[in-house]
Amino acid sequence: MSDPGAPLRKAAIEARLAVSAGRLSARDAAELQGRGLPVRDRALMLNLIAGTTRHLLTLDHLLCRHLRRRIDRLDPPVLESLRVGAFQLVFCLRIPPHAAVSTTVEAAKALSARGAGTVNAVLRALASEIEARGPLKGDEPPLRTLPDGAGSGCRFRVPVLPDGDPRSPSLLSIRFSLPAWLLERWISRFGPAEAERLALQSLAPPVLLLRPNPARGDARALAARLAGAGVEAEALPSGAVRLLHPGDLTALPGWAEGAFSVQDAAGQAAAQALGVCPGERILDLCAGVGGKTCALAEQAGVSGKVVAVDLSERRLERLRTSAARLGLSNIEAWEGDALVLAAGWKEAFDDVLLDAPCTNTGVLRRRPEARWRLTPEDPARLAAIQARLLEAAATCVKPGGRLVYSTCSLETEENEGVSRAFSASHSSFTQEAETLTLPSEASDGGYWARWRLSAAP
């Protein structure tokens, strides 16, 4: 490959093949393919993989207009080459169209010599339809304009969306690259305007917030340290620090010595909802990679203890790595089934957090592949699992202790539905608070509810 940009595109296409096959998440695929690359190239790699995944339905619709055969009949390397190339043409404003085409075609040649001609012809046809790329003013023709979720987008010379009501679920599905059934749910619950706003937010780049390690300083101190190193950041009233131009986090001052963690505002709120006091014993029943676990451990202090449970040893290993970097020695990680382990911890904890597995509809911009794994049956199916986990979590709370149930979902069945059913069947638990956060420029979406168990007589 003579084009210097082609190897990076080839790596991005190979990563997309893994994501499309369900073997890796977009972020994990980008981390794997980006090892050894300069910081700037790693950022571009993540953008190509995550952005293509996020806009997948839109890209496929655009490509189908220029294909002579069904898109699902294409060889996977050719299809993913077309998708990555189309994403650059339509949504990567800093990449000139001619460069997007030439580098992608060179990469496609290395993956499928016979298919490179198709990639070249289709991408050039798509490029010829583009009128302008840049900031959107709000009055662009909806059938000729596609937004990127960050205030910009692409305007075409001809209508690229089908004729019809621009606010119908079918057209919104193509425009915002979301399943039509999910948009129908949001329209029914939130109304057309709010559903469209949520859909647009699902395309936005994830907000990157840093949670200062209280043992290393507060938000103002961290923001000042970053500013001193030339990193644009702002301390927020919430106590977090927002990076204005995210880059390689591991290269930031303070990373190596554990001065901060990366955690979205909704995730921080769920951890803070427990109201942990120093010295308490805490259970994090579905810990994942440990963002909330580490926040709870910081709140509990050296005299407290956090027991973290997860089914995946790989995720727990990431948790242990984070804890070691942050200097947290008060975390005990258990691999196993939460339902089984909880049975042995009756009334053993002052505080219990259940951050339950869910549809992820509040964090689709952060987990772009999640939108393509969802089915209409998932909210109800997952709600049944969440109810069983919440029942198990409740048995672990000491009299007088607190229980928090949280999700990163916007769906009623998984949130208020689970909470209401739990309250109705557990009179000894009093619900003290609950919050649903909708995705915005400042935060992902999510839900949490808190109960307190009555003290023993």
Side-chain angles (χ1 to χ4, degrees), residues 158-170:
V158 297
V160 292
L161 296 180
D163 263 340
D165 180 359
R167 303 192 87 171
S168 68
S170 58

Side-chain angles (χ1 to χ4, degrees), residues 99-147:
V101 174
S102 62
T103 54
T104 305
V105 171
E106 284 295 309
K109 287 179 181 177
L111 294 167
S112 175
R114 293 176 59 186
T118 298
V119 174
N120 182 58
V122 172
L123 292 184
R124 289 189 181 279
L126 178 59
S128 70
E129 293 184 327
I130 295 175
E131 182 177 286
R133 304 183 302 173
L136 298 180
K137 300 176 182 178
D139 58 351
E140 289 82 2
L143 300 184
R144 293 198 293 118
T145 308
L146 295 173

Side-chain angles (χ1 to χ4, degrees), residues 149-201:
S152 296
C154 183
R155 187 171 68 249
F156 293 83
R157 304 179 193 280
V158 297
V160 292
L161 296 180
D163 263 340
D165 180 359
R167 303 192 87 171
S168 68
S170 58
L171 262 69
L172 290 175
S173 174
I174 298 172
R175 192 162 195 241
F176 295 110
S177 194
L178 283 169
W181 66 265
L182 183 59
L183 284 161
E184 289 175 1
R185 286 177 61 95
W186 287 357
I187 290 171
S188 175
R189 183 178 180 195
F190 301 112
E194 182 65 1
E196 188 168 340
R197 188 193 70 80
L198 292 174
L200 186 62
Q201 282 296 321

Side-chain angles (χ1 to χ4, degrees), residues 271-314:
Q272 292 166 354
L274 268 176
V276 170
C277 297
E280 288 187 326
R281 181 177 169 86
I282 305 151
L283 175 62
D284 186 353
L285 201 53
C286 294
V289 298
K292 297 180 182 68
T293 307
C294 291
L296 295 171
E298 290 169 0
Q299 296 168 33
V302 293
S303 61
K305 183 176 184 179
V306 180
V307 174
V309 174
D310 199 86
L311 280 170
S312 168
E313 177 59 30
R314 182 178 64 85

Side-chain angles (χ1 to χ4, degrees), residues 13 59 62-63 66-67 78-90 97-106 108 116-130:
I13 293 165
L59 299 175
L62 294 174
L63 293 169
H66 301 288
L67 286 168
V78 175
L79 175 56
E80 296 305 335
S81 297
L82 284 168
R83 287 168 167 171
V84 171
F87 172 69
Q88 294 171 81
L89 281 173
V90 178
H98 67 86
V101 174
S102 62
T103 54
T104 305
V105 171
E106 284 295 309
T118 298
V119 174
N120 182 58
V122 172
L123 292 184
R124 289 189 181 279
L126 178 59
S128 70
E129 293 184 327
I130 295 175

